Amino acid sequence: MAPEVISRMTGQFHRAAAAFILALTAGCQGPAGHDDRSRAWVGTLPRRETRFDQRTWQDTSASTVRQLMARLPDRIESAAEHRLARNLLISITDAPHGDDDGSESLALRVGALMRFGDVSDAAALARAARNPPGDEAGAQLEIEAELLAGNVEMACIDLRALAARSSTQWAEDGLAACKARAGEAGATPHDTDRLGALARIGGAALPADPPSGDLAGTRIAYLAAVGEDPKVAPPRRLEAAFTAARASALGGDAYAKILRSAPVRGEASPSGEAPDSGKQAAFLFQAIGEAADPGRKLALAEQGLLSPGGAVDGVSAAMAAPLRAVKPEPALAPLAGRFAAIFYTVGDTKAAAPWADLAKRSVSDTAAWPYRAVLKPPGSGELAAWENKARLDPVRQDRIAAILSAFDAAPESSDAGQDDLQEIDTAAALQHVGETTLRALVLLGREGPAGASAQTLHHVVKALDRVNLHDEARAIAFEAIAATVPSRAHRGEVEASM
């Protein structure tokens, strides 16, 4: 039997095994009357991990999903928005109506995950397909995902199958590398810089930059893999990781690990601005960790909390990590509101809670108050009292009011009647969870809550909350508050209380 036939059969066996395990994970049986032959289950993680269940696309057509997926941004900087997108895309769900075997929606989801930089998720989701992609571009994208995720053996199985029906230089280079890896006769490609992800087949480090011939839209995924590749030279790895973290393709914990081991030492930028390179981010992170004074540690973390565009991303989350070593003691009450605000901003409500309680008992609650108002609607007059203390300009006051009103914490904002806003309101009212989430991602766009208008934020947050994505709605609201009321604006309250 020809090697390419064997490899294709092996790949199909792996896919069948993945589908079987997936069915066990999902619970094996669908609801009464469910027809698995017409509505294929597609995904990698169940509701308890993603908050999206099998009925996510219920009553939503494949054409609607296709149109909305085409409008998704090329990258998502916001960490909260990125988590929301990732959980939707990997969730185990029935396929939308009109995509009977789930192949179309799965291909769109794998492509989106790769654009957003979630290589491991893209590879796992691709393996969940019953059959390999029929088109060459889809097959190459899947192989790229496997290689960037470190699954070289699976990538070679798929490469052999692709090379049997493709004559592209990329497929030929990959096949030669796989044969050399297996000890078969065949020339090994020499130009590793040209290979991109294929370099991993021979055990080499990833070239620092993806080759120009790589598939469009996979740059962030490639740089995320470079950032986590210990074989890459530290300076190049540091800059690649920074770019990936700015796109939230590297989360806070993963990026903090890279910064912690970076071979740089020094002080943060004296300008007090957010870091604009991997080296500056490493300097700042290590300065936060080494600072003995809690006030100094906090001020440095605030410097790196928002990107230059006001986004809360993987860099932001990493900068908050060293603050967890500080305990909320009474002596630190003047700083408590600012500590709470940082933890709320990066979505760590558990770490924020004791600091928020300490701030509430002291006179330094101004920084934490709007975050607490999202979690628990305030009493009458509290918003006005906070506005008097915060002393924001009218535009920023209106923005905070719009965010809080989505949780019934402030008077309802007026509607502008824009089509996209009406459509997300309608989708939420009909409890179309998947459609509502996609529309939220489209409305928030690449920049996330920091770049959205007050009215857009109101509709997005309210719609997500209405379809029971409460934690996700709050996380987006927290980021929007941080972009509107930077922590440094509340330093005056600390000085007044000391």
Side-chain angles (χ1 to χ4, degrees), residues 143 196 220 224 226 410 427 451 455:
I143 294 167
I220 294 299
V226 171
Q455 186 183 43

Side-chain angles (χ1 to χ4, degrees), residues 106-201:
L106 183 138
L108 291 172
R109 290 156 67 183
V110 170
L113 286 167
M114 283 293 281
R115 290 197 305 277
F116 300 155
D118 296 304
V119 291
S120 296
D121 291 318
L125 185 60
R127 287 195 300 274
R130 272 84 175 160
N131 298 296
D135 63 299
E136 291 187 12
Q140 181 175 337
L141 184 67
E142 179 178 326
I143 294 167
E144 289 264 3
E146 293 285 6
L147 289 172
L148 293 178
N151 304 323
V152 177
E153 294 299 333
M154 190 66 197
C156 277
I157 291 172
D158 289 341
L159 260 169
R160 289 177 182 272
L162 175 62
R165 56 188 174 89
S166 172
S167 59
T168 64
Q169 186 63 51
W170 188 88
E172 291 180 5
D173 286 342
L175 178 61
C178 288
K179 286 183 175 181
R181 179 185 175 89
E184 302 174 29
T188 303
H190 298 293
D191 186 1
T192 56
D193 286 338
R194 177 172 59 82
L195 290 181
L198 293 175
R200 277 199 161 163
I201 298 172

Side-chain angles (χ1 to χ4, degrees), residues 99-443:
D99 183 18
D100 291 341
D101 63 357
S103 60
E104 180 185 22
S105 61
L106 183 138
L108 291 172
R109 290 156 67 183
V110 170
L113 286 167
M114 283 293 281
R115 290 197 305 277
F116 300 155
D118 296 304
V119 291
S120 296
D121 291 318
L125 185 60
R127 287 195 300 274
R130 272 84 175 160
N131 298 296
D135 63 299
E136 291 187 12
Q140 181 175 337
L141 184 67
E142 179 178 326
I143 294 167
E144 289 264 3
E146 293 285 6
L147 289 172
L148 293 178
N151 304 323
V152 177
E153 294 299 333
M154 190 66 197
C156 277
I157 291 172
D158 289 341
L159 260 169
R160 289 177 182 272
L162 175 62
R165 56 188 174 89
S166 172
S167 59
T168 64
Q169 186 63 51
W170 188 88
E172 291 180 5
D173 286 342
L175 178 61
C178 288
K179 286 183 175 181
R181 179 185 175 89
E184 302 174 29
T188 303
H190 298 293
D191 186 1
T192 56
D193 286 338
R194 177 172 59 82
L195 290 181
L198 293 175
R200 277 199 161 163
I201 298 172
L206 286 169
D209 296 308
S212 58
D214 266 15
L215 294 176
T218 62
R219 180 173 179 269
I220 294 299
Y222 188 91
L223 292 177
V226 171
E228 294 191 293
D229 188 345
K231 295 180 180 179
V232 175
R236 292 184 176 182
R237 182 184 179 194
L238 197 57
E239 296 310 317
F242 177 77
T243 301
R246 277 287 184 232
S248 289
L250 285 179
D253 290 341
Y255 188 51
K257 183 178 180 181
I258 293 170
L259 295 179
R260 194 173 289 114
S261 61
V264 294
R265 289 292 184 272
E267 289 294 326
S269 170
S271 66
E273 300 297 326
D276 61 6
S277 69
K279 186 176 182 180
Q280 283 189 14
F283 279 154
L284 181 59
F285 177 85
Q286 293 178 11
I288 296 170
E290 294 168 1
D293 175 60
R296 173 66 174 164
K297 191 183 290 284
L298 176 62
L300 290 172
E302 289 174 337
Q303 179 181 326
L305 185 61
L306 302 179
S307 75
V312 178
D313 52 30
V315 178
S316 310
M319 296 303 162
L323 298 186
R324 293 186 175 90
V326 183
K327 303 303 179 184
E329 300 171 350
L332 298 179
L335 304 174
R338 289 163 58 198
F339 269 101
I342 283 186
F343 287 126
Y344 280 132
T345 297
V346 298
D348 192 346
T349 55
K350 183 177 180 180
W355 286 105
D357 289 342
L358 179 59
K360 190 177 181 180
R361 297 194 303 268
S362 69
V363 295
S364 61
D365 193 33
T366 310
W369 184 87
Y371 300 91
R372 291 196 296 103
V374 167
L375 296 172
K376 183 179 180 181
S380 176
E382 283 191 44
L383 175 59
W386 176 79
E387 289 176 341
N388 288 334
K389 290 182 179 180
R391 299 188 298 276
L392 299 178
D393 62 70
V395 173
R396 290 175 182 264
Q397 284 190 9
D398 290 345
R399 186 175 174 85
I400 294 295
I403 296 166
L404 298 183
S405 69
F407 300 96
D408 299 322
E412 186 78 16
S413 62
S414 60
D415 291 345
Q418 299 176 19
D419 289 345
D420 281 338
L421 300 184
Q422 289 181 341
E423 286 168 352
I424 193 173
D425 291 345
T426 300
L430 294 173
Q431 291 295 296
H432 293 178
V433 181
E435 180 184 349
T436 299
T437 305
L438 274 183
R439 291 191 181 279
L441 295 171
V442 169
L443 283 166

